[in-house]
Amino acid sequence: VQLQASGGGLVQPGGSLRLSCAASGSIFSINGMGWYRQAPGMQSELVADITRTGNTNYADSVKGRFTISRDNAKNTVYLQMNNLKPEDTAVYCCNALIRRTQLRPEYGYWGQGTLVTVSS
């Protein structure tokens, strides 16, 4: 199983970016999916997560600016980031709880990080 993240880059304050993370490989089902970020010198923090049925949860710092969504048919989770601020600068990583077969337990998989830099 692999999670491939994309969509990071350099953006000016107030700008927007959309991150994508696609899961591939031997997958029976995917439960929760989410995005975490780690800024330089800081601990990793949850940005947002989403259940298979679409229930979402956001960090207070991104509420009203970020939107998490998923396409279950494509095993993909998205993070639409609007009104970006310099403090949003971080490496963003996706996570997914994946069951590889019906008989196996869920396991958390991580994608590679994608760098988001918000700067003028």
Side-chain angles (χ1 to χ4, degrees), residues 86-102:
E87 51 264 42
D88 294 318
T89 296
V91 174
Y92 286 70
C93 293
C94 57
N95 173 268
L97 290 174
I98 296 175
R99 190 187 300 272
R100 297 187 62 186
T101 70
Q102 188 173 7

Side-chain angles (χ1 to χ4, degrees), residues 39-89:
M42 303 291 286
Q43 289 188 332
S44 177
E45 63 171 347
L46 174 68
V47 178
D49 58 19
I50 183 169
T51 67
R52 181 171 180 80
T53 55
N55 293 320
T56 58
N57 174 55
Y58 295 92
D60 288 342
S61 59
V62 306
K63 283 181 180 177
R65 300 187 299 120
F66 291 11
T67 301
I68 189 170
S69 61
R70 63 189 285 174
D71 185 333
N72 290 331
K74 295 181 179 180
N75 291 336
T76 300
V77 62
Y78 306 96
L79 186 68
Q80 177 66 45
M81 304 184 293
N82 298 329
N83 190 22
L84 282 159
K85 303 176 180 180
E87 51 264 42
D88 294 318
T89 296

